[in-house]
Amino acid sequence: QVQLMESGGGSVQAGGSLRLSCVASGSTYRPIYMAWWRQTPGKREGVAHIDADGSILYGDSVKGRFTVSQDTDKNTLYLQMDSLRPEDTAMYYCAADTRPNLRRWLFEHPDAYYIRGQGTQVTVSS
């Protein structure tokens, strides 16, 4: 059973930066997709999605500010978040999936990723 563990969340002022990490452990699971998504009381939103071939999707609200990357040797997914805004405040989840041909659908329905972590809170103050 693979597990995902996020870290790196916290509180920051607007304009600041944070770097989230997600470590996958527990098996030799090799997902086709890995992603970051976020949840607020009124909204669930795909943030960044990376395929095994390295192609990336970003949510419109984070393009140019957030950068997703992965270190396959360390089984770790990262999210570098720059120029943070108060509206970026949310619980951020790491997720993974192996089902093919669901790239766009999963990004638009992030709660459907097969595996997700416990989440890490990001709070941006103005």
Side-chain angles (χ1 to χ4, degrees):
Q1 179 77 21
V2 66
Q3 294 182 330
L4 302 176
M5 179 65 72
E6 304 95 335
S7 62
S11 297
V12 65
Q13 289 193 324
S17 298
L18 285 172
R19 187 193 196 203
L20 305 183
S21 299
C22 169
V23 178
S25 63
S27 77
T28 57
Y29 179 74
R30 290 292 181 263
I32 296 176
Y33 321 110
M34 291 199 73
W36 291 98
W37 61 278
R38 63 189 183 187
Q39 175 84 57
T40 61
K43 190 176 181 180
R44 185 180 295 126
E45 180 182 20
V47 174
H49 168 116
I50 185 166
D51 292 358
D53 66 3
S55 57
I56 294 172
L57 291 172
Y58 286 107
D60 289 341
S61 63
V62 307
K63 283 179 183 176
R65 300 187 299 122
F66 291 11
T67 304
V68 65
S69 61
Q70 59 183 0
D71 185 332
T72 54
D73 290 337
K74 296 181 179 179
N75 292 327
T76 302
L77 183 73
Y78 302 100
L79 184 69
Q80 178 66 42
M81 304 187 295
D82 298 316
S83 302
L84 283 161
R85 304 167 180 169
E87 54 263 39
D88 295 317
T89 295
M91 182 70 78
Y92 283 72
Y93 294 94
C94 174
D97 207 296
T98 59
R99 295 171 289 174
N101 303 315
L102 293 179
R103 182 175 189 255
R104 173 57 70 174
W105 185 82
L106 282 170
F107 191 72
E108 296 173 352
H109 303 84
D111 57 327
Y113 284 99
Y114 186 66
I115 296 175
R116 76 177 188 189
Q118 295 296 310
T120 185
Q121 178 68 36
V122 171
T123 302
V124 184
S125 58
S126 57

